[in-house]
Each structure stands twice: as structure tokens, then as C-alpha cells.
Amino acid sequence: MRPHGADAMDYALPRSTGTETHLSLHVEGMDCSSCISKIETALSRIPGVSDIHVNFASEMLTLTLDDTSATQPSDIVQIVNSLGFSVAADSPAAPTAEAALSPPPPTTTRWWHTKKGKLVLTLGALMAGAYVVALLFPAYKAWAFSIAVLTGVIPFVRQAWALAKSGTPFSIETLVSVAALGALVIGEAEEAAAVVFLFAVGELLESVAAGRARSGIKALASLIPKTAILLDPAGGQRAVLAATLQVNDRVLVRPGDRVAADGIIVEGASSLDESPITGESIPRAKAVNDPVFAGSVNLDGVLHIRVEKTSVDNTLSRIIHLVEEAQATKAPTARFIEQFSRYYTPTVMAIAALIMLVPPLAWGADWQTWLYRGLALLLIACPCALVLSTPAAIASGLAAGTRRGLLIKGGAALETMGKVGVIAFDKTGTLTEGAPAVTDVVAFDGGNENDLLARCAAIESGSSHPLALAILKRATEAGLTIPAASNASATAGQAVHAEIAGRQLSVASPIYAAQAAPLAAEQTHRIAALQAEGKTVSVLIDNQNRQALGLIALRDEPRQDARQGVAALNAMGVRALMLTGDNRLTAQAIAGKLGIAYEAELLPQDKLRLIDDMKRRQRVAMVGDGINDAPALASADVGIAMGGGTDVAMDTADAALMKSRVTDIAHMVALSRATLANIHQNVAFALGLKGVFLVTTILGITGLWIAVLADTGATALVTLNALRLLRFKGARPALLDQAQTDIAAQH
């Protein structure tokens, strides 16, 4: 564990510019975006401190310190630590993508080893023990629960006090501390213990979710190989660190290798899997003078590449930067209950004090009577039910979603999802299956389609290319007998060759086929028509007779429920939009089948730009499964990953569809709207019931026991109402049925 505390100032890297010092500190313990405002508010009150910036995604705090000020770097460290965070380690004052690509080995800390985890476990054990004591020794029940309360609330009281001194007096920590101690003073120790325990659990869950979100950047960095094979002018080869490659270096990329740098092919031809960058499932044929991206996979040919960009500036480094920036600029979502605490807690405390003091002092009223009424008012105003109103509904909503395979990483995402006006979908692997499938088998000159498919499968049997696997799968599903093939070879990125029953055959691209065998006008027209539908065409040719025998068309087809899912969103008043890096013809064909608007041929930065443009007008959700979707997922108000997608998408997104069903998006919107309605009901219960008894207590109509009933009753109502969400069954069946009916009518 790296040291923190006052000594951690050694890990800040100050850079002096004469009259100012620029500090960069690594801050641990930030669980949500509201932590940013707490740190910035506290430091803005310190003399000589300016240009404060906290990046939640990278956990970096940067600021400028006036050298003429009495404030020292150790003072900054002490203040941040006092707020409940930890200044952990050094980081460059201007972190670069190169640093992100060469991170130190991460120290994985299990949640039960963290301070928050230990607090939850301790409180859980103390509460279990308190219930045992209450059953066996009822006289000591209050003492047992009081120990649990004091053990759990002391850290929050300390943090609330530090926040109050630094300019945030009515934080959620203040609210919870007042709720717990107030309930303890009036004898509701059991309720106080429950409030502290639930809040501690919520803090722990936020911490775990924040760590998972940050791990997405590490997963991105791991896609670039650590080493590369450098070619010297004499033709020699030597392994070097990929981070040391310079512009105009020449590197060797063998079949199966990942490309180590953005560059240009200067020798060789091959097919490359660029799905990490573009999201397109079908590999692209590349030859001399074609560009390649760092992180893409070379499938079948040997390539010599001239480096065009260093590791700091390559495509994946830019994606990492986009993810960090998107996460850092995401608008902080203030906790709903904390909004109330800014006004509710101080107002109620002031009113209670006035009720206790003014009548006796101003009019000589009976002290005992008004102290009693003031205590009753404090009990009525005890914000236990208010504290529980939002987290109870959120917890139930998250649990209900998990049961349906909707993994939502936090309350902010759950709340926001029901307010989105547009949902943007990636195409490949999200709206489609993510792998090509055979759509057409066409035999020329009266040939047999099954024979054609079997021969193509035989030729492709030794290849791991996605198109080859799709042809083999189709032949197997059709129960065909695949003939033996021999003398297999390949022309990289253009054709695969083999000998079958003494005939030299090839499965080739249309361009290669046109060169190897003359194509009739009708055949050329058929190929063009299939390509216009966004399909990839492979032609079977007889090399000896220079004859085209037929063709096979493939395309990444839509998921079975994609059209119904899009139609359901439209019925809910949510617009659906497809964003894809694929070519326009393929995008148009898929969009037409699904009834969805689209934007095609987009790079990651293009998707991010479109998301940001839409966010200016309405809330936006993004659904994707690939690394190229990570910046857009991070920037959207809610990012949603398909369960079968990459780890980067899963870690970057706010939610995931574990069953990879498009219709689950509609269920998620419905769950969010139900949760929001539940929260509004809970707040109305908590405040409405207390408001009624507030008036009756001041008038002397109700007393302390009614106040206890009001507080515990409101808490019970809020809890029971929140539990109703556990019975959530998804979007209304009638809605999905109507969507299916609309689809049928259109056909």
C-alpha cells in the first residue's frame, strides 16, 4: 500500500514557474462526481490556491499555488485527507497518453480490505450482535444498538465536521450524522443503526462501481502490444518497446500479431481485424499505401509498416484520452436527498430551537412544555425517512433490474435513463449479431447450390477468417458432406485456393475473380446488387477453366429482437438512432430492416461529436459493445454496454445488458421511470407526513409518542413502497405486443 497522509506530500510533483508552483496529486476515494465539488470548494477557500481541477476518471487533482502565499503543499494534502479522501501517489503534472499506456502494475484491493468495506463488515457484525442481545437480554437492547451507531457514525461525523469547516456544511454526511445521533438521543437506537449501516453500504457500492469504471482505461491500454519488431536499413530485425517507436521507423507485423503503431503499409498485403477501432466485424483487406491502426490484428499476411505516429498520438491513445475527458466533463449528478439537506436540515433545526426558546423567554411560557414540544419537533423532523426515501427506491430498482439481466452501476444512471429523449445504438454486435452469416448462395449456369456451398466450405476449412467460419457454419447446419481439399494456399486479402477432386478452385473477392475469370454482365450485376444491400460477396472460380461457378453473400444480420426493441422505444416516446463505423450501403440496408435513422462511416471521435451535439438539446443514452464505442459511452448521459461486448465497453458504460437483448433497453427505460415515480412518492410520504405533525405538534395537539409514530411510520411507508419495485416485471407486455403488431403491419 502506498503511503498517504501528511507524508504523502513527497508524492506530489511540484513544477515551479518562478512565482507559481503547479501541483499534481493522485487522490483516492472519489466515489461519485459530487466528490469533485467537495474538494474544489474546500481548496478554493485556501489562500494562494487557484486553477483547481479534479479529474474523477483519472483521480488527478491539479492546482496552482502562489509561491508568495503561506500555504504549503503539505497543507493541501492535509485538507484533502481531512475530507475523507487520500492523497496516494505521484503522477506527472500533465499526464500524457504515453503514461496512460505504460501504467505501473495496478494494486488490486478487494472491497473487504478497504476502509469502507471494513466499516460495513464491522457494522453488520455489531447489528447482528445487537439483535442477538435484544432477544436474549432485552434490557440491554438500547446499549447494544447504541454501540453500533456510535461505531458507524463517528467517521461520518468527522467528515461532516471537516466539510462544514471547508465550506460544505450541509452535506449528506451531515444529514446522516444528524439523523443517526438524533434518533439515538430520543431512544430510537435500532433505527439509527439501520440508517448508518445502509448509508455505509451505499458508499461502499459507489466505491466499487467507480473502480470498475476506471478499469476500462487500463483495458484499452492493454490492446497495444508492449513490444514491436523493428526493421533496420540492412534488413535486420530486433525487438524493441512499442513506446519507443519513432515516426518513419519500419516494423514487421506477422500473421496473428497486433499492430504496434499507426502507420502505412510499405510492403505486403493482408486482412486486418480493425474492430477495436472502427467496430466493423468483417476484416478489411489492406495493401501497400493503405493505413493501419495500432491495436488492430493482422490475420494472414506479412506486413512491413512505416510508423506514422508515436505511441503518445496513435489512435488508441486518442481513444483513451477521449474516454478520460468524457468522464471528467460529465455533469456531476447531485444526490437527490442532498439537495433537500441544504435547506431542510438547517431550517428544521432552527425552527426547533426557536420553539424551545422563544415562548419561555418572550412570554414566560412553561419551559418543560416547550422543551417537550421542541424535542417532539426534532423527532418529527429527524430525516431518517428522508434519508431512506431515495436510496431505498434505488436499491430496490437496481435489484429488480439485476434479476432481469439489467446490470446498472449506480443510482445516477438508473434515475437518468427514464429521462432520455434519444438512444443511440452502435450497429455491429449491438443491433446485429456481431459476426457475418451467409445470406445468399447463388450457383451460376444451373449448378447446384449445395454443391457450391460444400466446395466453398472445403476450400475455407483451414482458415480462421470470420467469413470462412460463417461459410463452414452454414454448410454444417445444412448437413452437407464437405469434400476433401488439398494444396491449400492464400493470396493475402484477396483469395483462398485449394484443389478438390483434381480441380484448382478459389474462393475470391469480386475484384480478384474478375481478373482470374471473365464475369458475364448478369453475374456482375448480381454481385453489385448484393453489395448494394451491404453484403460481402465471395466468388467461387475454377482456375483451370477460368470460369465463375457461383457466389456466396454474407452480412452481419440484425438480432432477432432488434426491430421489436426499436419499435418499443418509439412507442415509449424515445427516438432511436444507429451510429456505425461501417460503410453507408451496409448501414442503409440494416437501418431499413429495423426502421431506424442512421449515421454511417463514423470514427470514435465522430460518434463522440454527435453524442455531444445531441446532449445540448436532450438527455442521450448510448448503447454499444466495442472499444471504439468507449468515448461515446462515457460521454453520453447514460452509457449501456451489451453483455457480450468487450471488457472496455462493459467497464466504461453505466449499465450493461447481460442477456444482450435489444428489447431490454425498453425494460430499462420502464424500470427507471418506475423508480423515479417511487422516489417522488417516497419524498412525498416523508415530507408530507412530517409536515402534518409539524403543525399539530406546534399547536400542542400531538405529543412525543405521536412524533415517534410519525417518524417510524414514515420510515416504514418509504421502505414498503420501495420494496414494491422488486415486483417489477419489465415494460408493459401490451407495449411490446403493439410494437410487434406495428412491425407486422409494415410488412
Side-chain angles (χ1 to χ4, degrees):
M1 178 65 70
R2 293 170 297 200
H4 60 271
D7 294 336
M9 68 163 287
D10 296 333
Y11 292 83
L13 295 184
R15 293 187 297 110
S16 179
T17 59
T19 59
E20 294 179 336
T21 297
H22 301 282
L23 280 179
S24 178
L25 304 172
H26 183 192
V27 180
E28 292 183 344
M30 293 190 292
D31 301 332
C32 62
S33 298
S34 65
C35 297
I36 295 174
S37 63
K38 294 176 181 178
I39 296 174
E40 291 180 343
T41 299
L43 295 181
S44 65
R45 298 162 60 94
I46 307 302
V49 177
S50 60
D51 300 328
I52 304 163
H53 177 70
V54 181
N55 188 315
F56 174 73
S58 61
E59 299 180 283
M60 292 302 301
L61 161 65
T62 58
L63 56 87
T64 300
L65 186 61
D66 189 346
D67 290 342
T68 62
S69 169
T71 304
Q72 299 297 315
S74 58
D75 299 326
I76 304 297
V77 172
Q78 184 176 358
I79 291 169
V80 174
N81 287 339
S82 71
L83 300 178
F85 309 105
S86 298
V87 177
D90 58 323
S91 183
T96 65
E98 183 175 12
L101 290 173
S102 304
T107 302
T108 302
T109 304
R110 302 293 186 181
W111 67 265
W112 53 84
H113 290 154
T114 64
K115 287 193 295 185
K116 293 180 179 180
K118 291 176 181 177
L119 178 61
V120 168
L121 293 176
T122 300
L123 282 174
L126 287 173
M127 289 190 68
Y131 281 114
V132 172
V133 170
L135 289 174
L136 300 179
F137 309 101
Y140 295 97
K141 174 181 177 180
W143 286 101
F145 280 108
S146 296
I147 292 173
V149 174
L150 293 175
T151 301
V153 82
I154 285 175
F156 300 131
V157 170
R158 288 175 177 171
Q159 191 174 358
W161 177 245
L163 288 167
K165 291 193 299 182
S166 63
T168 311
F170 299 113
S171 63
I172 195 167
E173 288 78 12
T174 300
L175 191 64
V176 170
S177 299
V178 170
L181 293 177
L184 185 63
V185 168
I186 61 173
E188 293 292 329
E190 182 177 355
E191 184 179 356
V195 169
V196 175
F197 178 70
L198 288 174
F199 182 73
V201 170
E203 291 285 291
L204 175 62
L205 291 176
E206 284 188 347
S207 179
V208 172
R212 288 286 296 169
R214 294 186 180 108
S215 68
I217 295 176
K218 297 184 179 69
L220 276 173
S222 68
L223 291 171
I224 296 183
K226 299 299 181 185
T227 61
I229 301 176
L230 181 66
L231 299 173
D232 60 37
Q237 303 176 9
R238 59 188 176 94
V240 299
L241 292 175
T244 64
L245 292 175
Q246 300 297 316
V247 175
N248 292 325
D249 281 349
R250 291 183 61 160
V251 295
L252 173 68
V253 183
R254 300 163 300 189
D257 287 349
R258 282 191 181 273
V259 178
D262 285 7
I264 299 293
I265 297 175
V266 294
E267 184 178 326
S270 182
S271 294
L272 285 94
D273 177 6
E274 296 183 339
S275 57
I277 310 302
T278 66
E280 184 164 356
S281 60
I282 297 177
R284 291 186 176 180
K286 299 275 187 172
V288 174
N289 293 328
D290 286 336
V292 295
F293 300 115
S296 56
V297 181
N298 182 23
L299 295 179
D300 44 37
V302 176
L303 300 176
H304 290 190
I305 295 174
R306 184 180 71 247
V307 176
E308 292 285 302
K309 295 178 181 177
T310 64
S311 61
V312 175
D313 195 38
N314 65 38
T315 304
L316 267 180
S317 297
R318 293 200 303 273
I319 291 179
I320 291 171
H321 178 71
L322 290 172
V323 172
E324 289 182 332
E325 287 299 309
Q327 290 181 338
T329 57
K330 184 180 288 186
T333 305
R335 298 179 188 178
F336 186 75
I337 195 63
E338 193 169 1
Q339 298 278 348
F340 277 91
S341 72
R342 295 178 183 176
Y343 308 99
Y344 179 84
T345 302
T347 300
V348 164
M349 294 178 70
I351 292 174
L354 290 174
I355 288 175
M356 290 180 184
L357 298 175
V358 172
L361 292 177
W363 305 300
D366 179 62
W367 277 99
Q368 184 174 357
T369 299
W370 288 98
L371 283 174
Y372 181 88
R373 291 182 181 180
L375 288 173
L377 176 61
L378 281 176
L379 181 55
I380 290 171
C382 183
C384 298
L386 188 60
V387 168
L388 288 173
S389 60
T390 299
I394 292 294
S396 295
L398 295 177
T402 301
R403 291 179 180 178
R404 293 195 58 89
L406 311 177
L407 180 61
I408 305 172
K409 295 184 180 179
L414 180 59
E415 291 182 30
T416 305
M417 191 63 197
K419 304 174 184 177
V420 298
V422 60
I423 297 180
F425 290 86
D426 172 52
K427 178 184 73 68
T428 305
T430 302
L431 291 172
T432 66
E433 295 290 349
V438 175
T439 59
D440 302 87
V441 179
V442 180
F444 296 153
D445 300 327
N448 184 281
E449 293 182 352
N450 284 341
D451 289 344
L452 177 75
L453 180 59
R455 291 174 184 173
C456 290
I459 296 169
E460 298 278 19
S461 59
S463 174
S464 60
H465 194 286
L467 296 180
L469 296 177
I471 292 172
L472 286 166
K473 180 181 178 183
R474 175 65 175 269
T476 302
E477 290 175 346
L480 302 181
T481 300
I482 299 176
S486 59
N487 300 324
S489 62
T491 301
Q494 299 183 65
V496 181
H497 318 284
E499 182 178 327
I500 300 177
R503 300 176 68 182
Q504 294 292 334
L505 304 177
S506 299
V507 176
S509 68
I511 294 176
Y512 183 92
Q515 297 170 351
L519 297 176
E522 181 182 348
Q523 295 169 349
T524 302
H525 176 74
R526 186 64 182 272
I527 291 172
L530 291 170
Q531 290 177 328
E533 296 174 2
K535 297 174 181 178
T536 299
V537 178
S538 295
V539 183
L540 178 63
I541 57 176
D542 184 329
N543 294 296
Q544 292 170 321
N545 298 323
R546 292 178 53 81
Q547 178 185 8
L549 303 178
L551 59 83
I552 292 180
L554 306 95
R555 186 172 65 188
D556 183 12
E557 289 293 272
R559 294 179 184 271
Q560 291 184 352
D561 69 334
R563 186 167 177 83
Q564 185 184 20
V566 170
L569 290 174
N570 291 334
M572 300 175 78
V574 180
R575 186 169 69 93
L577 172 68
M578 184 177 76
L579 306 179
T580 178
D582 216 336
N583 64 77
R584 189 165 298 278
L585 287 177
T586 301
Q588 184 177 12
I590 297 297
K593 294 186 69 173
L594 298 181
I596 188 174
Y598 72 93
E599 293 284 347
E601 299 176 357
L602 303 176
L603 290 174
Q605 55 266 37
D606 299 322
K607 292 184 180 182
L608 178 61
R609 173 181 52 79
L610 288 171
I611 292 292
D612 288 339
D613 287 345
M614 289 187 290
K615 281 175 62 179
R616 297 189 181 99
R617 300 183 294 275
Q618 59 197 320
R619 287 186 172 90
V620 179
M622 171 72 191
V623 188
D625 78 317
I627 295 162
N628 62 299
D629 301 320
L633 289 172
S635 178
D637 294 296
V638 181
I640 305 168
M642 300 298 280
T646 64
D647 290 340
V648 175
M650 294 281 285
D651 291 334
T652 304
D654 303 299
L657 307 179
M658 304 310 295
K659 298 179 182 178
S660 297
R661 296 184 304 210
V662 180
T663 49
D664 278 346
I665 300 292
H667 294 314
M668 190 177 291
V669 173
L671 175 62
S672 174
R673 291 178 178 178
T675 303
L676 286 170
N678 196 281
I679 289 173
H680 297 157
Q681 293 162 4
N682 284 348
V683 172
F685 287 152
L687 296 181
L689 194 58
K690 290 177 183 295
V692 170
F693 287 105
L694 173 66
V695 176
T696 59
T697 298
I698 294 175
L699 297 177
I701 299 172
T702 55
L704 197 58
W705 71 272
I706 292 293
V708 174
L709 182 62
D711 182 58
T712 56
T715 302
L717 284 173
V718 163
T719 304
L720 291 173
N721 189 51
L723 290 176
R724 290 192 307 111
L725 285 171
L726 295 176
R727 301 199 302 269
F728 177 78
K729 301 299 183 182
R732 290 180 290 110
L735 183 70
L736 296 178
D737 291 342
Q738 182 61 45
Q740 191 63 42
T741 301
D742 293 343
I743 293 171
Q746 292 173 15
H747 285 280

